[in-house]
Amino acid sequence: MLDIDRLKSKIKNRISEKIKEAISSVDSSLGKLDIEALSDPNKLAENAEKLGLISPSEKLFLNIKTLGIGKTYPEYSALTVSGVPVNGVNLEFNPGLLYFAVAAGNNSDGIDDVSFKRSFLAGRIGLGEKENAHFFLTAFKMKDDLNSIQVSSSNQSLLPQENVVFGSEGKLNLFKKLIEIDGEGAISGFTRNLNDADFVSESIPGFVKNLLTPKLSTSFDYAWKGKIAFNHEPSATYLSLGAKRIGPGFMSLAAPNLRQDQFQLDFNFDQKFADRKITMKTFFRVYNDNLINWKQSTTTTTSFGVNLGFYFPNIPFVQINYSPYSQRNDNVIAAQKMENTFDSFSLMTGYSYQFSGVYASTMLSFNGQWQNSQVGINSTKFSNTSFMINQSLNFEFPLTLSSTLSMTQSKILSITSSITEFDLNGSYQLSEIISANLGGTISNEENYTKRTIIYMGSNIILAEWLRFELQGNISNYKDL
């Protein structure tokens, strides 16, 4: 099978070396060279063509973004084609401003009473580069073959389906990428059962009937998403605001992880201070379902988080994370009213240092999770907290020692579990090809069990492609 990425890498490396030679020699026949422009890796093919250092076939391969034959996973956009398996061909071609992509084959094989044979055909065309400013139009169709398998009369869940999606997606960079705007919109037609009777209506355009056979189980809906981001690198400031709406009837079989019936708003703010020695990352996200009031209640989910980091020289680093989450509905029936909350907090600090020829590292961390759930008058509570300290020592001779002490406490309703564990291990490099390790773990779950483990092992590298590994352990468990 042709490895297009490896071939492109070899071509890029060869061209880069040729450009460096041209820059260093400054051949008078090349005229006045713009050294900075020629060294731009994003314009490698363009610069090589100007200097006559690339052949037409090499330029063709560099313009191929994706080439797969067999089982591939096309990735177009979040609302259309996103990681669905296709057994066939997958091609993305981006020569200059023109962008073209096509994927064709089968999404699934026909297996009696399991799955229909499902065909897949997708195409994309537009202007620009996928990673930079662009505008693309996308379309795909997936359809089950009714005659590909036998379905028993008792199997009521396996239904032949058909799905057509049209979408557009674009990105715009302003003020030298200081502001980035991107968005996507898509319309879907989805038939849940091709065995249903035809839906006859003069209001359905003829071109729609040519692409999708309307049935009584056919639905049409739309989805969209957009984001605007501000990224100022000199001040290390990043800010973004996004929104997304996915209709309850929108369906893309080529994006299986897409969640329907959802409207979401999200906000992100990152900032670095004190010459980037202090970092702060924050996010806020809220989304709700029941967009067309077809459910008994609306569920709203809210989450936000704060991450702080302190990285000053000659003192321990500190990382702090806090992230609360809540989910609740507005059901008027008291027995079905729901409210869940989950809080997460973590603190980590560590320091690396040297003494008497020993390289040492000390790390401490605390993690905690607290959850409360209530449905009607029934409620549950859960909490889990853990503390850990780790010490590692690297000697000038090939010996490394490491020890970890951890204490964990979990509580569900009135049931409490406390576990204390200590681990000590070391490894020694006997020679360039032989290493050995020895360690032990003592674990105690209060009022339940006590466990002791001694483990040892060795590694022998016989060749670059062959390694012999021997591991063994002795364990002892005791109920308290």
Side-chain angles (χ1 to χ4, degrees):
M1 183 176 177
L2 176 64
D3 190 338
I4 188 68
D5 291 330
R6 185 176 180 182
L7 179 59
K8 288 167 62 177
S9 178
K10 288 184 177 181
I11 295 174
K12 287 180 179 179
N13 291 337
R14 188 191 72 80
I15 294 174
S16 296
E17 290 300 320
K18 291 292 184 181
I19 290 178
K20 289 178 182 178
E21 291 176 7
I23 292 174
S24 60
S25 63
V26 195
D27 193 327
S28 59
S29 64
L30 298 176
K32 186 177 181 181
L33 293 176
D34 186 342
I35 305 300
E36 185 176 351
L38 287 174
S39 302
D40 187 354
N42 296 320
K43 298 181 179 180
L44 186 63
E46 179 184 340
N47 294 332
E49 187 176 20
K50 290 179 180 178
L51 299 174
L53 301 176
I54 186 172
S55 67
S57 59
E58 288 176 326
K59 185 179 178 182
L60 174 68
F61 278 111
L62 288 181
N63 288 329
I64 297 175
K65 301 302 181 182
T66 303
L67 176 59
I69 300 174
K71 192 170 186 178
T72 64
Y73 296 83
E75 191 72 42
Y76 287 2
S77 68
L79 300 180
T80 56
V81 180
S82 180
V84 69
V86 177
N87 191 12
V89 62
N90 178 28
L91 171 67
E92 281 187 283
F93 190 51
N94 197 180
L97 287 176
L98 179 64
Y99 176 90
F100 170 78
V102 63
N106 292 323
N107 169 246
S108 61
D109 297 325
I111 303 175
D112 289 348
D113 270 335
V114 176
S115 64
F116 288 93
K117 180 180 179 180
R118 177 172 291 173
S119 62
F120 178 94
L121 178 62
R124 208 175 195 206
I125 190 169
L127 299 174
E129 297 179 343
K130 194 174 182 179
E131 301 80 10
N132 299 306
H134 64 262
F135 178 76
F136 299 152
L137 297 174
T138 304
F140 83 82
K141 181 175 182 177
M142 300 174 72
K143 186 176 182 180
D144 291 338
D145 184 352
L146 282 72
N147 301 315
S148 60
I149 63 170
Q150 297 292 327
V151 181
S152 61
S153 57
S154 59
N155 190 341
Q156 301 295 316
S157 60
L158 182 60
L159 302 173
Q161 299 177 335
E162 184 178 17
N163 187 205
V164 174
V165 174
F166 290 93
S168 62
E169 183 251 339
K171 179 189 291 187
L172 183 62
N173 295 317
L174 303 174
F175 310 112
K176 296 183 179 180
K177 296 187 177 182
L178 179 67
I179 296 177
E180 181 178 283
I181 303 172
D182 63 75
E184 180 182 5
I187 299 173
S188 76
F190 176 60
T191 299
R192 290 166 177 78
N193 187 358
L194 286 171
N195 291 319
D196 285 344
D198 291 346
F199 178 76
V200 180
S201 174
E202 296 297 328
S203 63
I204 301 177
F207 77 93
V208 174
K209 295 179 182 179
N210 293 330
L211 295 170
L212 178 76
T213 305
K215 301 285 185 176
L216 293 178
S217 60
T218 300
S219 63
F220 297 90
D221 209 336
Y222 68 95
W224 59 265
K225 62 190 242 353
K227 185 178 75 172
I228 181 170
F230 172 83
N231 186 15
H232 188 245
E233 292 186 0
S235 64
T237 302
Y238 177 82
L239 178 71
S240 71
L241 179 64
K244 176 170 64 176
R245 183 197 188 277
I246 303 175
F250 182 84
M251 173 61 72
S252 174
L253 294 176
N257 297 321
L258 198 63
R259 181 178 174 181
Q260 300 166 280
D261 192 23
Q262 177 186 180
F263 178 76
Q264 175 179 306
L265 292 173
D266 59 82
F267 170 80
N268 292 271
F269 175 63
D270 300 345
Q271 181 67 64
K272 295 180 180 179
F273 307 93
D275 197 23
R276 302 176 187 262
K277 295 181 179 65
I278 301 177
T279 64
M280 180 181 70
K281 296 183 178 181
T282 64
F283 75 89
F284 174 80
R285 186 175 299 115
V286 58
Y287 57 89
N288 62 269
D289 61 1
N290 199 24
L291 301 185
I292 57 174
N293 294 320
W294 63 294
K295 296 179 181 178
Q296 193 174 47
S297 63
T298 299
T299 300
T300 301
T301 303
T302 305
S303 61
F304 68 90
V306 179
N307 173 282
L308 293 173
F310 303 87
Y311 307 95
F312 290 92
N314 303 319
I315 61 173
F317 76 88
V318 178
Q319 293 178 349
I320 303 172
N321 290 277
Y322 175 61
S323 180
Y325 168 94
S326 68
Q327 184 182 62
R328 53 178 56 87
N329 66 19
D330 59 0
N331 205 309
V332 295
I333 302 176
Q336 298 180 10
K337 195 173 184 63
M338 172 269 295
E339 182 173 357
N340 298 319
T341 61
F342 180 83
D343 294 324
S344 176
F345 175 82
S346 67
L347 171 66
M348 179 182 294
T349 183
Y351 187 63
S352 296
Y353 49 96
Q354 184 179 359
F355 65 93
S356 302
V358 178
Y359 297 89
S361 177
T362 304
M363 189 168 299
L364 299 97
S365 68
F366 171 82
N367 289 276
Q369 297 89 36
W370 300 268
Q371 180 176 348
N372 296 311
S373 300
Q374 183 170 354
V375 179
I377 60 174
N378 300 312
S379 63
T380 60
K381 290 186 178 182
F382 166 79
S383 66
N384 182 79
T385 56
S386 64
F387 172 80
M388 185 271 292
I389 179 171
N390 174 266
Q391 179 67 57
S392 64
L393 303 172
N394 292 274
F395 297 86
E396 291 183 336
F397 52 95
L399 174 66
T400 300
L401 297 177
S402 178
S403 64
T404 303
L405 173 66
S406 64
M407 292 174 285
T408 304
Q409 185 176 75
S410 301
K411 186 175 182 180
I412 302 177
L413 298 177
S414 60
I415 303 174
T416 302
S417 172
S418 298
I419 300 175
T420 302
E421 185 172 285
F422 177 74
D423 179 87
L424 176 64
N425 65 81
S427 63
Y428 189 83
Q429 192 74 33
L430 298 171
S431 67
E432 290 185 358
I433 64 171
I434 303 175
S435 63
N437 62 81
L438 174 66
T441 301
I442 299 175
S443 179
N444 181 75
E445 185 174 4
E446 187 177 350
N447 300 323
Y448 289 99
T449 61
K450 184 176 182 180
R451 180 186 62 170
T452 304
I453 300 176
I454 298 175
Y455 52 89
M456 62 195 73
S458 64
N459 284 282
I460 303 175
I461 302 174
L462 302 177
E464 290 184 2
W465 50 270
L466 180 61
R467 183 179 70 176
F468 179 75
E469 183 175 324
L470 179 65
Q471 299 287 341
N473 66 74
I474 302 172
S475 303
N476 178 54
Y477 293 85
K478 182 179 179 181
D479 294 329
L480 302 179

